[in-house]
Amino acid sequence: MSEKVKLNDTVVLIDNSNKRYLLIIQDKTDKFKGIGVFNPTVLAGKQYGEECEIGSKKFWILKPSLQDKLLGMKRHAQIILPRDAAHIILNCSISSGQIVLEAGIGSGSLTIALANAVAPDGKVISYDNRKEFIDHAMKNLKIANLDGYVTTKFKDVTKGINETDLDAVIFDIPNPWDAVSHAWYALKAGGYFCTYSPLISQVEKTVKEIKKNKFIDVKTFENIQREMIVSDYGTRPSFEMLGHTGYLTFARKVL
Amino acid sequence: MSEKVKLNDTVVLIDNSNKRYLLIIQDKTDKFKGIGVFNPTVLAGKQYGEECEIGSKKFWILKPSLQDKLLGMKRHAQIILPRDAAHIILNCSISSGQIVLEAGIGSGSLTIALANAVAPDGKVISYDNRKEFIDHAMKNLKIANLDGYVTTKFKDVTKGINETDLDAVIFDIPNPWDAVSHAWYALKAGGYFCTYSPLISQVEKTVKEIKKNKFIDVKTFENIQREMIVSDYGTRPSFEMLGHTGYLTFARKVL
Amino acid sequence: MSEKVKLNDTVVLIDNSNKRYLLIIQDKTDKFKGIGVFNPTVLAGKQYGEECEIGSKKFWILKPSLQDKLLGMKRHAQIILPRDAAHIILNCSISSGQIVLEAGIGSGSLTIALANAVAPDGKVISYDNRKEFIDHAMKNLKIANLDGYVTTKFKDVTKGINETDLDAVIFDIPNPWDAVSHAWYALKAGGYFCTYSPLISQVEKTVKEIKKNKFIDVKTFENIQREMIVSDYGTRPSFEMLGHTGYLTFARKVL
Amino acid sequence: MSEKVKLNDTVVLIDNSNKRYLLIIQDKTDKFKGIGVFNPTVLAGKQYGEECEIGSKKFWILKPSLQDKLLGMKRHAQIILPRDAAHIILNCSISSGQIVLEAGIGSGSLTIALANAVAPDGKVISYDNRKEFIDHAMKNLKIANLDGYVTTKFKDVTKGINETDLDAVIFDIPNPWDAVSHAWYALKAGGYFCTYSPLISQVEKTVKEIKKNKFIDVKTFENIQREMIVSDYGTRPSFEMLGHTGYLTFARKVL
C-alpha cells in the first residue's frame, strides 16, 4: 500500500509555503532552483507522503497530481489558470477518449489540463504559429508525463484546420473571430467551441462571428475566485485577489 | 462521419431557450414533460445535430454531453452546480482510472461529474444514509449512462470509511468535521480531501479538524460566476446572478 | 428628547419585512397600499420610534431618513440604486452648498440623494426631455421634502447646458457621449463629471469623448454589493444578488 | 468666474499618475515629499485648474475636493476606504446638520467623510482611547479644513457614551459587540448604528448583541469595487483588485 520513490520517477517536492518543485529521480547532481544543489537519487527509497530534508529545507515528497503539474510548470507567457481550465473542461464536456483541438499552445497549461482529461485513449491537437512556444510547452508536457497525448502543429489556426469530427475546439488566440468558421467545420455535430479572451471587444467580435455559423447555446462567462482566509482569529476573504483573468465564450455546433 | 440516431440510444433534445430533455429511443408512446406525447422512435434515423419537430416545437437532437447530463437531470435536493463540480475535479486532480469517494450522493450531480472524470477505468464510491437519495441519484446516473462507474453504500460516512488508498474523498454533508479523520485514513499519501459547505461556521469547524490531522495545502475558495450578456445593443454582466453556492475547502494528505 | 408625531408631519411606517410606507399625517381617510384604509391622524401623538398597530398589522413609526425616502419612493423607470448614488456622491465630492446638474431625472432617486447632499444651501438642476418623468420625480421629491433644493428643466441635455461654474455634472442618459463637451463648459475648474451606463459600449464611447476634452483622473468603476445572511445557523452570502447595475465613469475638469 | 490661488489657500497638486499633494500657500521654502524643495508662494496668482511646473514636474493645481482630502491624507493605520465611507454615509442617511458619533478615529479618514457630510451645521464626536491616533487624525482634519466640525474624546467607547439623541453611531473598533447597548442608549429613535469589521466572527458577535437590543432593519453588506480599464485596445476589468475591506453592519434604533 505504501509506495516508495524509485529511480526515474517524476516526483513533486512541496515546501511549507506550498511552493512546488517537479523533478526526476536521476543520478545527476545538479542545481535545482528553490531547493539547492543535490543528487535526486538521495530521495530514492523514501515513502511517498513522507517529509524529507534537503540541505536545511524540509519538503513533502509526493507523486505529482494534475495540480502539481499545472502549478509547478515553467511559464513562458500569460497562462490560462487552473480555475479557467476547470470551467473549459466541464463546460466543453471534455472526457476520456475525446479528440480536442486547441490554439495556441502558449506555455502548455491548458494543454496539460486537456491531455489529463482525454487520457488514456484521447488526443489533444495543439496549433501554434510560434515555434518557441511549442518547444517550451512540450517540455512542460514531458515533465508532466502527458506529452504522449498531444500532437502539435506549427501552423496559424486562422489559415484553416485540417482535422474534422472533433469533440471540442478551444482558442486562446488574440483574434478568435478569424477562425470561427474553421472551428465549425472541424467539429462534429454537438461538439463544443470555446474561446478565452481578456477583452470585451474580443468577446463581441467572436460572438458576432459565432452567430453567423450554426452554433447553439452561445454563452459568455467570467469566473471570479475568492480565497477565504480561515485562521484562529477568524475568517475573512483574502485581501489579495486577481481582479480578472479572461472571458470564456462557449458554443455548440449543430447542422 | 455523420452519425444517425439508433434504437436504444440516449439522446438529448435542446429547445430554443436551451432547455434540455434526456430520453431513450424506445418504442413506447409516452408523455414527456416539456415536449409532449410522442413515440421516441420517430427520431430514429435522424442525423445527430439535426433540427427536428415534435408536435409544434422544434428541437436540436444531440448525443448527450456531460453538460446535458448535469443540466438535464432530475433534482431531488440542492445540487452541487457544474461550476463547483469543475473546481472540485480540477483542484482534486481527479483523473481517469482513479478511485474516489463522495458522501452524500444527493441527487447525483457531483457523482455524474466524478464518474465522467474517472471513466473508463476508475470508480466512484458514494456513501449516503438516505436510501431514497441513493435510489434517485442512481436513476440519474443510469440515464447519464455512468452508473457502471459508481458503487453506492447505504451508510453514514461519519461512522467510518472501509475503503483505503483512495485518490480523493469529497464531502457534501452538513457536518464534514465529524468525518475528517476517517477521510485521512481512507486516502492514500498525496490524496485530496475536499468539503463543500454553504456556511462559514461549517468551514471553520472543518478547517480546525483538518489541522489536527496530517494534511497540507489547506485552502478554502468561493467561486463566483458572472454571465455576460452580449447582444446587438452592447455587452453587460447579466442582471441575474446566483449570489452564493458554497465554500470549497481542499487539503492533501501526507504521512 | 422624545418627539411626538404631529399633524402635517411626513412619517415612515416600517413593517416586519422592512417594507417602508411614506405618508403625511393629514385628516383624510384613504386607502394606503400595503397598509389598508385608515385616517393617518390616528398616528398623531405617537412617539417617534414607537410600534403602532393599523388594522391587524404592526409598524414602527419613524421620521423618514434619506434611506426611507429612497426605498419608499414610487418607481416609474429603472432607478439608480442607493449603492451607486453613494459612490456618485462621494467620488464627485458632492457637499453641502454646491450646485450640481443631473440629466435625466428618471424617477428622481439620484435627485433625492443629491438634494440631500447639497442641502441646506446648495442646489440641484435636473434636465429631462420627458415631461412625465419630471412630474413624477417632483412628486417623489415633494414627499421626500427635498423639492426646495431642485430646479427642473424640460430640455434635452445633448442640445446644450446654459449653466456654468457647476461643481458637478452627472448623466444618466442613453448617449452621454453626445453631451461631454457641454459638461466640460458647464463645470468649474476642478469640477466632477460622472456618467452612469449599463453597457460597456456606452462606457467606451463616453471615455473616448472625455479624452478629447480637458479632463483628468478618468476612471470607470463597477460596484458589487453582497448581502451577508447572519442567522443562528451560521453566516453566508445571500443566494439572491443583483448581478449588475451600471458602470460609473468619473472625470475632473482642468483648464 | 475663474478663481486665482491666494496666500493661505489650501490647494491640491495632482500629477500625471493621479497622485495628490495637499499643501498650504505659505511663504516658507520647504521640502515636499513627491514634489521637491520649493516655496509654495510661487503658486499664488495661478488660476485654479491650470497646469503648473515645479522643478521638472508638472501638476494640475486645484481646490481640494473631499476625494483629494481622503486620498491625500497621511495614513497611520488601516483606513476605511472611500468606497466604504460612501456606503456608511448613505446607509446611515448622514445629512447636513446631524450629530454623529464614531469610534475609533483611526487616521481620520471616515471622520473627514462624516465631517464633510454633516457640515455646515452638524457635528462629529470621535472617541478613541489612543492619544496618538487622535493627534494624527486631527492633523489630517486640519489640512482637510474640517477640524471645526469634529470634537474628539480620549476615551474607550466600550466604557460608555455620555452623549444622547445622536443621529448615528459608527464603530470601527475590534470589539463592537461590547458597546452595542451604549450605542442604543446614545441614539435617538430612528437613529442609525453601523459597525465596520473585517472578520465574519466579529460580525456574528455584533449581530447577536444587536438582536438583544431594540434595533430593526439589521443588515450586513460587503462592497466589492472593480475598476474597468478602458483603453484603445479594448475594455476589461482591472487585473489588480482589493479582495476585501470589511463587512458593514447596519441597524436602526426603535423604542
Side-chain angles (χ1 to χ4, degrees):
Chain A
M1 201 131 322
S2 66
E3 212 178 330
K4 303 238 154 134
V5 177
K6 300 182 312 293
L7 259 180
N8 298 316
D9 279 8
T10 299
V11 305
V12 64
L13 298 176
I14 305 185
D15 68 15
N16 268 331
S17 56
N18 288 321
K19 284 221 183 75
R20 278 137 226 266
Y21 309 91
L22 289 172
L23 51 89
I24 301 169
I25 305 299
Q26 290 173 313
D27 186 7
K28 192 184 157 199
T29 300
D30 212 340
K31 194 183 172 189
F32 294 84
K33 212 183 153 182
I35 307 176
V37 177
F38 82 113
N39 186 317
T41 53
V42 301
L43 299 171
K46 296 270 181 197
Q47 206 168 320
Y48 278 112
E50 227 183 299
E51 200 175 21
C52 54
E53 242 179 281
I54 303 171
S56 58
K57 285 183 76 179
K58 285 185 174 178
F59 300 90
W60 301 100
I61 185 162
L62 293 170
K63 288 203 175 184
S65 69
L66 173 59
Q67 276 272 26
D68 298 325
K69 292 169 182 177
L70 288 171
L71 298 174
M73 59 174 272
K74 290 186 180 69
R75 299 176 184 198
H76 200 231
Q78 191 62 29
I79 69 159
I80 290 184
L81 292 182
R83 71 187 74 173
D84 288 312
H87 280 265
I88 291 171
I89 287 168
L90 198 130
N91 280 321
C92 291
S93 296
I94 309 291
S95 302
S96 177
Q98 295 188 342
I99 300 175
V100 307
L101 183 148
E102 69 154 3
I105 200 166
S107 292
S109 69
L110 179 61
T111 328
I112 286 175
L114 291 172
N116 183 75
V118 301
D121 304 316
K123 193 88 192 164
V124 178
I125 301 150
S126 193
Y127 280 57
D128 207 301
N129 58 350
R130 299 159 303 175
K131 194 79 180 65
E132 71 278 17
F133 278 79
I134 293 179
D135 293 345
H136 177 76
M138 284 310 290
K139 270 183 212 154
N140 279 324
L141 279 151
K142 201 158 277 175
I143 296 169
N145 208 20
L146 288 163
D147 52 318
Y149 307 110
V150 180
T151 305
T152 59
K153 285 213 173 177
F154 175 43
K155 186 178 168 182
D156 179 349
V157 81
T158 66
K159 305 293 185 211
I161 299 176
N162 305 115
E163 291 78 9
T164 53
D165 228 26
L166 298 172
D167 290 289
V169 171
I170 299 146
F171 289 162
D172 173 21
I173 55 172
N175 53 338
W177 53 88
D178 284 333
V180 169
S181 60
H182 300 324
W184 190 89
Y185 279 105
L187 284 165
K188 70 176 189 190
Y192 283 93
F193 177 52
C194 170
T195 63
Y196 173 89
S197 300
L199 298 174
I200 292 281
S201 53
Q202 291 172 308
V203 172
E204 290 173 339
K205 281 187 196 171
T206 304
V207 169
K208 203 172 173 182
E209 203 59 32
I210 286 174
K211 288 185 174 166
K212 288 185 195 158
N213 289 268
K214 275 258 178 183
F215 283 108
I216 60 168
D217 211 3
V218 186
K219 298 211 171 208
T220 300
F221 293 107
E222 186 188 14
N223 295 305
I224 301 172
Q225 190 170 74
R226 296 185 92 184
E227 187 173 353
M228 299 298 290
I229 306 299
V230 184
S231 77
D232 292 343
Y233 302 105
T235 304
R236 60 165 174 79
S238 174
F239 297 138
E240 278 168 44
M241 181 171 169
L242 184 55
H244 182 60
T245 59
Y247 296 104
L248 290 170
T249 298
F250 297 96
R252 199 165 177 194
K253 175 177 173 170
V254 289
L255 301 178
Chain B
M1 200 131 321
S2 65
E3 213 178 327
K4 304 239 153 132
V5 176
K6 299 183 312 291
L7 261 179
N8 298 318
D9 278 8
T10 299
V11 305
V12 64
L13 298 175
I14 305 185
D15 68 16
N16 267 332
S17 56
N18 289 320
K19 284 221 185 76
R20 278 137 227 266
Y21 308 92
L22 288 171
L23 52 89
I24 301 170
I25 306 299
Q26 290 172 314
D27 186 8
K28 190 182 160 199
T29 300
D30 212 341
K31 193 181 174 191
F32 294 85
K33 209 183 157 185
I35 307 177
V37 176
F38 82 113
N39 185 320
T41 52
V42 300
L43 299 171
K46 296 270 179 196
Q47 205 167 320
Y48 278 112
E50 228 183 301
E51 201 176 21
C52 55
E53 245 180 278
I54 303 172
S56 58
K57 284 184 77 181
K58 285 183 175 181
F59 299 91
W60 302 101
I61 186 162
L62 294 170
K63 287 201 175 187
S65 69
L66 174 58
Q67 276 272 27
D68 298 325
K69 291 168 183 176
L70 289 171
L71 298 174
M73 61 175 270
K74 291 187 179 68
R75 299 174 184 201
H76 201 231
Q78 192 63 26
I79 68 160
I80 291 186
L81 291 182
R83 69 186 75 173
D84 288 312
H87 280 264
I88 291 170
I89 287 168
L90 198 131
N91 279 321
C92 290
S93 296
I94 308 293
S95 302
S96 176
Q98 293 187 344
I99 299 174
V100 307
L101 183 148
E102 69 154 4
I105 200 167
S107 293
S109 69
L110 180 61
T111 328
I112 286 176
L114 292 172
N116 184 75
V118 300
D121 303 314
K123 193 88 193 165
V124 179
I125 300 149
S126 192
Y127 280 56
D128 207 302
N129 58 350
R130 300 159 301 175
K131 194 78 179 65
E132 71 280 16
F133 278 79
I134 293 179
D135 293 344
H136 176 77
M138 284 311 289
K139 271 183 211 152
N140 279 323
L141 279 150
K142 201 157 277 176
I143 297 168
N145 207 22
L146 289 162
D147 53 318
Y149 307 108
V150 179
T151 305
T152 59
K153 285 212 171 176
F154 175 44
K155 184 178 170 184
D156 179 350
V157 81
T158 66
K159 306 293 185 213
I161 299 176
N162 306 115
E163 292 78 9
T164 52
D165 228 27
L166 298 172
D167 291 289
V169 170
I170 299 146
F171 288 163
D172 172 21
I173 56 172
N175 53 337
W177 53 88
D178 282 334
V180 168
S181 60
H182 301 323
W184 190 89
Y185 280 105
L187 284 165
K188 69 177 189 191
Y192 284 93
F193 176 52
C194 170
T195 63
Y196 173 90
S197 299
L199 297 174
I200 292 281
S201 54
Q202 292 172 307
V203 172
E204 289 172 340
K205 281 189 197 171
T206 304
V207 168
K208 203 173 174 182
E209 204 57 34
I210 286 174
K211 287 184 175 166
K212 288 185 196 157
N213 288 270
K214 276 258 179 184
F215 283 109
I216 61 168
D217 210 5
V218 186
K219 298 208 171 211
T220 299
F221 293 106
E222 186 189 13
N223 295 305
I224 301 171
Q225 189 170 74
R226 295 185 93 186
E227 186 173 354
M228 299 298 290
I229 306 300
V230 184
S231 77
D232 293 343
Y233 302 106
T235 303
R236 58 165 176 80
S238 174
F239 297 137
E240 278 168 45
M241 182 171 169
L242 184 55
H244 182 60
T245 58
Y247 296 104
L248 290 170
T249 297
F250 297 96
R252 202 167 174 191
K253 174 178 175 171
V254 290
L255 300 177
Chain C
M1 200 131 324
S2 67
E3 212 178 328
K4 303 239 154 133
V5 176
K6 300 184 311 291
L7 259 181
N8 297 318
D9 278 9
T10 299
V11 305
V12 64
L13 298 175
I14 304 184
D15 69 15
N16 267 332
S17 56
N18 288 321
K19 285 223 184 74
R20 277 138 229 266
Y21 307 93
L22 289 172
L23 52 89
I24 301 170
I25 304 300
Q26 290 172 314
D27 186 7
K28 189 181 158 199
T29 300
D30 212 341
K31 193 182 172 192
F32 294 84
K33 211 183 153 183
I35 307 177
V37 176
F38 82 113
N39 185 318
T41 53
V42 301
L43 300 170
K46 295 271 179 197
Q47 206 167 319
Y48 278 113
E50 228 183 300
E51 200 176 23
C52 55
E53 243 180 279
I54 304 172
S56 58
K57 286 183 74 180
K58 285 184 175 181
F59 299 89
W60 302 101
I61 186 163
L62 294 170
K63 287 201 175 185
S65 69
L66 174 58
Q67 276 273 27
D68 298 325
K69 291 169 182 177
L70 289 171
L71 298 173
M73 60 174 272
K74 290 186 180 68
R75 297 173 185 200
H76 200 232
Q78 191 63 28
I79 69 160
I80 291 185
L81 292 181
R83 70 187 75 174
D84 288 312
H87 280 264
I88 291 171
I89 287 168
L90 198 130
N91 280 320
C92 291
S93 295
I94 308 292
S95 302
S96 176
Q98 293 188 344
I99 299 174
V100 306
L101 183 147
E102 70 155 2
I105 200 166
S107 292
S109 69
L110 180 61
T111 328
I112 286 175
L114 291 172
N116 184 75
V118 301
D121 303 315
K123 192 88 193 163
V124 179
I125 300 150
S126 193
Y127 280 57
D128 206 301
N129 57 350
R130 299 160 301 176
K131 194 79 180 63
E132 71 280 15
F133 278 79
I134 292 180
D135 293 344
H136 177 76
M138 284 310 290
K139 269 182 212 153
N140 279 323
L141 279 150
K142 200 157 278 175
I143 297 168
N145 207 20
L146 289 164
D147 52 316
Y149 307 108
V150 179
T151 306
T152 58
K153 284 211 172 179
F154 175 42
K155 186 178 168 182
D156 180 349
V157 80
T158 66
K159 305 293 185 210
I161 298 175
N162 305 116
E163 291 78 9
T164 53
D165 229 28
L166 298 172
D167 290 289
V169 170
I170 300 146
F171 290 162
D172 173 21
I173 55 173
N175 53 338
W177 53 87
D178 283 333
V180 169
S181 59
H182 300 325
W184 190 89
Y185 280 105
L187 285 166
K188 69 175 189 191
Y192 283 93
F193 176 52
C194 170
T195 64
Y196 172 89
S197 299
L199 298 173
I200 292 281
S201 53
Q202 292 174 307
V203 172
E204 289 173 340
K205 280 188 196 172
T206 304
V207 169
K208 203 172 174 183
E209 203 58 34
I210 287 173
K211 287 185 174 166
K212 288 186 194 157
N213 289 267
K214 276 261 178 181
F215 282 109
I216 60 169
D217 211 3
V218 185
K219 298 208 172 212
T220 299
F221 293 106
E222 187 188 13
N223 295 305
I224 301 172
Q225 189 170 75
R226 294 185 93 185
E227 186 172 353
M228 299 298 290
I229 306 299
V230 184
S231 77
D232 292 344
Y233 302 105
T235 304
R236 59 165 175 79
S238 174
F239 297 138
E240 279 168 44
M241 181 171 168
L242 184 55
H244 181 62
T245 57
Y247 295 104
L248 290 171
T249 297
F250 297 96
R252 200 165 175 194
K253 174 177 174 170
V254 289
L255 300 177
Chain D
M1 201 132 321
S2 65
E3 211 178 328
K4 304 239 153 132
V5 176
K6 299 182 314 290
L7 261 179
N8 298 318
D9 279 8
T10 299
V11 305
V12 63
L13 298 176
I14 304 185
D15 68 16
N16 267 331
S17 56
N18 288 321
K19 286 222 184 75
R20 277 137 228 267
Y21 307 92
L22 289 171
L23 51 89
I24 301 170
I25 304 299
Q26 290 172 313
D27 187 8
K28 190 181 160 201
T29 301
D30 212 340
K31 193 181 172 192
F32 294 85
K33 210 182 153 184
I35 307 177
V37 176
F38 82 112
N39 185 318
T41 53
V42 300
L43 299 171
K46 295 271 179 197
Q47 205 167 320
Y48 277 113
E50 228 183 301
E51 200 176 23
C52 55
E53 243 179 280
I54 304 171
S56 58
K57 284 184 76 180
K58 285 183 174 180
F59 300 90
W60 301 101
I61 186 162
L62 294 170
K63 288 201 172 185
S65 69
L66 173 59
Q67 276 271 26
D68 298 325
K69 291 169 182 176
L70 288 170
L71 298 174
M73 59 174 273
K74 289 187 181 67
R75 298 174 185 201
H76 200 231
Q78 192 62 28
I79 68 160
I80 291 185
L81 291 182
R83 71 186 73 171
D84 288 313
H87 280 264
I88 291 170
I89 287 169
L90 198 130
N91 279 321
C92 291
S93 296
I94 309 292
S95 302
S96 177
Q98 293 187 345
I99 300 174
V100 306
L101 182 147
E102 68 155 3
I105 199 166
S107 291
S109 69
L110 180 61
T111 328
I112 286 176
L114 291 172
N116 183 77
V118 301
D121 304 315
K123 193 88 192 164
V124 179
I125 301 150
S126 192
Y127 280 57
D128 207 301
N129 58 350
R130 301 159 301 175
K131 194 82 180 63
E132 71 280 16
F133 278 80
I134 293 179
D135 294 345
H136 177 77
M138 283 311 288
K139 271 184 210 151
N140 279 323
L141 279 150
K142 200 157 277 174
I143 297 168
N145 208 22
L146 289 162
D147 52 317
Y149 307 108
V150 179
T151 305
T152 60
K153 285 212 172 176
F154 175 42
K155 184 178 169 183
D156 179 350
V157 81
T158 65
K159 305 294 183 211
I161 299 176
N162 305 114
E163 292 77 9
T164 53
D165 226 26
L166 297 173
D167 291 288
V169 171
I170 300 146
F171 289 163
D172 172 21
I173 56 173
N175 53 338
W177 54 88
D178 283 333
V180 168
S181 60
H182 301 323
W184 189 90
Y185 280 104
L187 283 166
K188 68 176 191 192
Y192 283 93
F193 176 52
C194 170
T195 63
Y196 173 89
S197 299
L199 297 173
I200 292 282
S201 53
Q202 292 173 308
V203 172
E204 289 173 339
K205 280 188 198 171
T206 304
V207 168
K208 203 172 173 182
E209 203 58 34
I210 286 174
K211 287 183 175 167
K212 288 186 196 156
N213 289 268
K214 276 260 179 184
F215 282 108
I216 59 168
D217 210 4
V218 185
K219 298 207 170 211
T220 300
F221 293 106
E222 186 188 14
N223 295 305
I224 301 172
Q225 190 171 76
R226 296 185 92 186
E227 186 173 354
M228 299 298 290
I229 305 299
V230 184
S231 77
D232 293 343
Y233 302 105
T235 303
R236 60 165 175 78
S238 174
F239 296 138
E240 279 167 44
M241 182 170 167
L242 184 55
H244 182 60
T245 58
Y247 296 104
L248 290 171
T249 298
F250 298 96
R252 201 167 175 190
K253 173 176 175 171
V254 288
L255 300 178

